[in-house]
Amino acid sequence: MERKGIQYPDVLNKIFDMLSSAIGSLTNPYRMQCSIRTKGLDVGWNTVSEYVGHLEDAFLFEESKRFDIRGKDYIDTPSKYYSTDLGIRNAKLGFRQDEYAHLMENAIYNELRYRGFAVDVGVIGIREYIDGKREYKQLEIDFVANKGDRRYYIQSAYHMDDDIKKEQEISPFLKLNDGFRKLVITGDDVPCHVNSMGITVMNVIDFMKNPFSLERI
């Protein structure tokens, strides 16, 4: 706060809490501004955006932008933010929020970044018939990990204990027609295997323990 000359420490603290609480969820400075104002703090959008940037400069959070896979372009807003240190994140929230699915997703993001990957949130726009009407919707892939000429599409799934959840995680992959590897990292105790659709399923501990786990699938 001293180095950046923070004028509103209460606002900075609220933003820190909000980003810590919303790891892996879509948000932007405007949404945070609206939430802060409901708590009685009158603050402008530019200040919120500036303070988010300060937290990124301090290496407390990283922004992962949404990438339109088919359009091959970035979508400006909203984005996802991940904590670079889950221990600090948990301590800041008083160890009250232990949503394991979000924590696992954040840990996978950090590991991918540690391995040198650039990591975006993948978006696939599709049109399909729903109740006789052709509607547009967006499917999300948790991570599009790029490093040189390598790319991996990765879903983080804490549990895939029923067919509905399996279909939810795998369905975005089926809309892609390129040859890059597709991977579901799960908290379930399963051996690494490739399913009938060519999608690799891997336990999160196996992924984390082996720094070459992606290269060897």
Side-chain angles (χ1 to χ4, degrees):
M1 291 197 303
E2 181 179 352
R3 180 165 64 89
K4 295 292 187 179
I6 300 297
Q7 296 182 344
Y8 308 104
D10 288 349
V11 173
L12 180 67
N13 188 57
K14 290 290 185 186
I15 294 172
F16 196 162
D17 284 342
M18 291 169 66
L19 289 177
S20 296
S21 181
I23 54 173
S25 299
L26 292 171
T27 189
N28 59 25
Y30 175 74
R31 292 182 183 180
M32 286 185 270
Q33 177 199 24
C34 293
S35 179
I36 290 170
R37 283 184 167 178
T38 63
K39 296 175 173 60
L41 296 173
D42 188 14
V43 58
W45 177 90
N46 288 335
T47 299
V48 174
S49 181
E50 180 182 337
Y51 283 10
V52 170
H54 292 339
L55 292 172
E56 291 182 83
D57 289 342
F59 303 106
L60 290 168
F61 295 94
E62 281 194 3
E63 179 186 12
S64 185
K65 294 184 177 181
R66 293 193 298 162
F67 179 72
D68 184 343
I69 297 173
R70 288 180 173 170
K72 297 181 174 19
D73 199 7
Y74 284 97
I75 302 171
D76 288 337
T77 186
S79 300
K80 288 187 177 184
Y81 291 86
Y82 292 99
S83 171
T84 59
D85 189 317
L86 287 173
I88 293 177
R89 178 262 181 193
N90 293 339
K92 184 69 174 67
L93 297 176
F95 300 92
R96 293 188 301 273
Q97 297 185 23
D98 55 356
E99 302 91 344
Y100 295 117
H102 291 164
L103 291 172
M104 189 181 88
E105 180 180 332
N106 200 137
I108 293 170
Y109 174 87
N110 288 349
E111 181 65 18
L112 290 169
R113 295 289 292 124
Y114 176 76
R115 296 183 189 184
F117 286 91
V119 184
D120 302 315
V121 179
V123 176
I124 308 168
I126 64 170
R127 295 188 182 277
E128 62 181 15
Y129 286 95
I130 301 176
D131 296 330
K133 296 181 180 179
R134 197 162 183 256
E135 297 185 6
Y136 175 83
K137 68 176 183 178
Q138 291 182 334
L139 303 179
E140 181 180 291
I141 295 176
D142 291 327
F143 304 122
V144 181
N146 295 287
K147 185 177 181 181
D149 61 352
R150 286 183 291 153
R151 170 179 287 185
Y152 298 92
Y153 298 116
I154 300 173
Q155 294 282 49
S156 171
Y158 184 60
H159 283 310
M160 292 197 301
D161 46 9
D162 58 55
D163 292 338
I164 295 176
K165 181 62 176 176
K166 290 177 182 178
E167 181 180 355
Q168 177 185 338
E169 298 296 341
I170 291 175
S171 60
F173 290 153
L174 305 181
K175 304 299 181 181
L176 298 172
N177 57 4
D178 57 35
F180 294 112
R181 299 302 298 268
K182 302 165 183 66
L183 175 71
V184 178
I185 299 178
T186 177
D188 295 330
D189 185 14
V190 295
C192 181
H193 65 279
V194 180
N195 67 17
S196 60
M197 291 171 283
I199 297 167
T200 301
V201 180
M202 181 183 296
N203 174 264
V204 64
I205 296 175
D206 294 334
F207 166 74
M208 300 288 281
K209 288 175 65 177
N210 184 353
F212 303 104
S213 55
L214 293 182
E215 288 81 353
R216 294 178 179 176
I217 59 176

